[in-house]
Amino acid sequence: MSIDSPPDWSPDPDIASLLRGEREDAGPYAGEATARMWKRLELHTVAAAGAGSLATAGAAGGSGAGAAGAGAASGAKALATKALGWKVGAASMLLLAGGAIGASLEARRSPPPERALSTVVAVERSHGIVDAPVVSAPSPVATTAESATVAVDVESLPRVPPSPVAVAHSGGSSAPRSSAVPSASSSASLSATTVGEEQRLLETARAAIARGAYSSAVTSLTEHQTRFPTGRHVEERELLFVQALAGLGDDKAAKARAQAFAERFPTSILLPAVRAVSATQER
Amino acid sequence: MNAQFRALFEAHVDYIMKSLRRLGVRPGDVEDLAHEVFVTVLRRWDTYDPSRPPRPWLFAFALRMASAYRQSAYVRREALDKGETGDAGERGALGGLTTKSANAESLLVERQESALVYRALEALDYDKRVVFTMFELDERTAADIAAELELPQNTVFSRLRAAREEFTVAVRRLSREPVRPSRPMERPYVD
């Protein structure tokens, strides 16, 4: 065998035909997925741009180009959510879409993914804010929009007004999320629905972070921010935001967001957790 | 720039999804990972060179994503096996990975022949699978593959040889008779 030419192969006709078919096939997803996926990408870039612009206030320094595979580690853990968040918010958020890609490009940063991932894991371990990854989610891979909704069923969530308490309840406990079996509740008042919607977005984001699906998380959190700018769970949202941004490798945005958190909620019970994320990043 | 990215996306999103499948990403995860691939592409847009063919460049993103995906799956399984998570029942991560994600909806859209190819590819270990995909399906040159994977060319050749044999055996085993395109195979993944 020459070193320059690959080994000869004369596959049987059926194998050859199979391979030819696979080469020439436009793909099982041709057409159908394209529009949907583009919309999702647009939403993501809107989300990233939103997160970036909110966070850049007070953040200094230029942006660096990082490892080529930056998104790989985080993205690869993004095991199948049908991203309820981006579907729900689609209509309103698309209005913001103009120029979003450009904006997010300016905000791009990509430090090595390993560090970003370990950051989040470390925070999870030391503070127990985010659920133990993987196992606590009902079925991480097959989590469809439907099952995600079930997992964070409005009625099953505690109606505790101040967000820190709610966080402590939903995330601080070591009980697996799947144990939060929906229980019937009679009153479905409008405010309860809103609270539930708020919670649902946060739970979606939390579950996404636990899976490493940081961009999905950012999308949910941005939707939360758009719809509930002064909601009951702003602090929790901001913590998740910091974690998600750190997970994406956007250290600058994460740090700025953490900084803003400290200024806005200096006495928050979540502040240590927020600080822990940026502290881990600095290492 | 925006338009350029969009054009690239539209022209190649299917290719990326197919590549992810070929590299072992399960049907239910393909769309999410493809999304992440393009998010990363956008983040690394400064490395885009319009004068060069886009597919190899895009494939590199998909390859990294698929590799990390595999690793994450293995990490999860190991963690579960060790019982570290305390709740390592059958509904653990890998249980989800191996069964749930191969959901019916995704499978229905896959061509029968593609499904056979993907199943046969499952028989190859990952290194061989990558080489086989790049050489036989993407028709890239051995030199190109060697450069991309940072391997000696001879290693590429030996993996390719082994992969071809194993692929053929797997197709034989899976189909038991020569495949004719007009004849539907039995439905894949239905255990």
Side-chain angles (χ1 to χ4, degrees):
Chain A
M1 178 189 65
S2 151
I3 201 159
D4 295 311
S5 63
D8 288 334
W9 192 35
S10 307
D12 296 342
D14 60 317
I15 303 281
S17 144
L18 194 64
L19 291 173
R20 199 180 321 116
E22 174 63 15
R23 261 179 238 132
E24 291 166 2
D25 178 34
Y29 312 93
E32 181 259 342
T34 309
R36 184 173 66 233
M37 291 194 60
W38 178 256
K39 187 173 281 187
R40 186 173 172 187
L41 268 174
E42 274 187 330
L43 285 171
H44 171 82
T45 54
V46 171
S53 64
L54 281 164
T56 9
S63 64
S74 64
K77 285 195 165 183
L79 305 175
T81 300
K82 293 306 175 195
L84 190 60
W86 62 263
K87 278 181 188 164
V88 172
S92 59
M93 293 180 60
L94 274 175
L95 296 173
L96 306 168
I101 289 180
S104 79
L105 280 170
E106 278 162 34
R108 70 177 165 243
R109 285 198 70 211
S110 6
E114 295 79 7
R115 193 172 60 119
L117 281 174
S118 62
T119 298
V120 169
V121 171
V123 169
E124 286 167 1
R125 287 200 181 133
S126 57
H127 294 272
I129 295 292
V130 176
D131 290 306
V134 180
V135 174
S136 59
S139 82
V141 167
T143 303
T144 61
E146 197 180 358
S147 61
T149 311
V150 170
V152 295
D153 185 278
V154 173
E155 305 301 332
S156 72
L157 293 165
R159 296 223 196 111
V160 186
S163 56
V165 182
V167 173
H169 182 103
S170 63
S173 123
S174 60
R177 177 146 316 280
S178 51
S179 69
V181 176
S183 59
S185 172
S186 48
S187 68
S189 70
L190 213 147
S191 76
T193 310
T194 307
V195 170
E197 185 62 14
E198 255 206 273
Q199 281 280 14
R200 185 190 61 73
L201 284 167
L202 294 181
E203 290 301 326
T204 305
R206 191 202 313 281
I209 288 171
R211 283 194 315 279
Y214 301 112
S215 63
S216 295
V218 167
T219 306
S220 298
L221 293 168
T222 304
E223 188 189 342
H224 186 281
Q225 180 173 285
T226 309
R227 294 175 59 189
F228 307 105
T230 57
R232 291 171 183 235
H233 304 297
V234 172
E235 292 170 59
E236 185 181 1
R237 177 189 74 213
E238 291 302 306
L239 169 62
L240 292 171
F241 233 131
V242 171
Q243 291 174 335
L245 290 168
L248 278 173
D250 195 345
D251 289 358
K252 196 168 87 176
K255 229 166 142 181
R257 200 130 197 153
Q259 177 75 28
F261 186 99
E263 284 163 14
R264 192 171 162 195
F265 307 109
T267 60
S268 170
I269 195 174
L270 297 181
L271 186 54
V274 170
R275 288 212 164 113
V277 181
S278 34
T280 317
Q281 279 179 263
E282 276 161 22
R283 245 171 259 152
Chain B
M1 161 83 89
N2 193 330
Q4 217 177 358
F5 173 75
R6 176 157 199 167
L8 192 78
F9 168 82
E10 289 187 341
H12 303 295
V13 61
D14 285 330
Y15 166 72
I16 287 302
M17 291 173 95
K18 259 177 103 62
S19 295
L20 290 168
R21 277 298 283 132
R22 291 165 176 174
L23 295 172
V25 174
R26 296 176 189 281
D29 297 333
V30 162
E31 197 169 315
D32 286 316
L33 258 72
H35 172 76
E36 300 291 341
V37 164
F38 280 100
V39 167
T40 312
V41 164
L42 202 48
R43 203 179 293 141
R44 300 290 298 143
W45 189 248
D46 55 339
T47 65
Y48 176 60
D49 179 356
S51 68
R52 289 164 57 190
R55 289 204 170 184
W57 183 67
L58 290 171
F59 182 86
F61 288 95
L63 180 59
R64 278 189 213 100
M65 201 67 76
S67 303
Y69 169 86
R70 277 177 52 82
Q71 279 163 9
S72 73
Y74 284 117
V75 166
R76 281 152 196 248
R77 177 160 65 181
E78 278 167 18
L80 288 172
D81 285 346
K82 288 177 194 158
E84 281 175 4
T85 44
D87 189 11
E90 54 187 6
R91 63 194 177 77
L94 200 75
L97 260 187
T98 48
T99 56
K100 298 269 183 65
S101 68
N103 63 63
E105 190 193 350
S106 303
L107 291 173
L108 286 177
V109 300
E110 261 179 16
R111 285 188 338 144
Q112 306 285 3
E113 286 169 55
S114 285
L116 175 60
V117 171
Y118 303 147
R119 287 184 77 195
L121 286 173
E122 288 292 328
L124 312 185
D125 72 37
Y126 187 65
D127 291 339
K128 291 179 208 156
R129 180 176 192 150
V130 170
V131 170
F132 187 85
T133 296
M134 293 173 85
F135 190 91
E136 299 293 350
L137 300 176
D138 284 343
E139 300 184 285
R140 293 171 67 172
T141 66
D144 183 23
I145 295 168
E148 170 86 36
L149 302 179
E150 297 177 355
L151 291 172
Q153 201 158 294
N154 272 332
T155 307
V156 172
F157 291 154
S158 61
R159 284 184 189 175
L160 179 60
R161 250 197 318 271
R164 284 164 166 176
E165 277 170 31
E166 289 169 23
F167 181 82
T168 305
V169 169
V171 171
R172 292 276 169 270
R173 176 171 51 79
L174 291 167
S175 58
R176 289 164 193 272
E177 60 187 68
V179 178
R180 279 164 306 183
S182 58
R183 181 183 174 281
M185 301 299 304
E186 59 184 325
R187 274 187 68 198
Y189 292 109
V190 178
D191 294 312

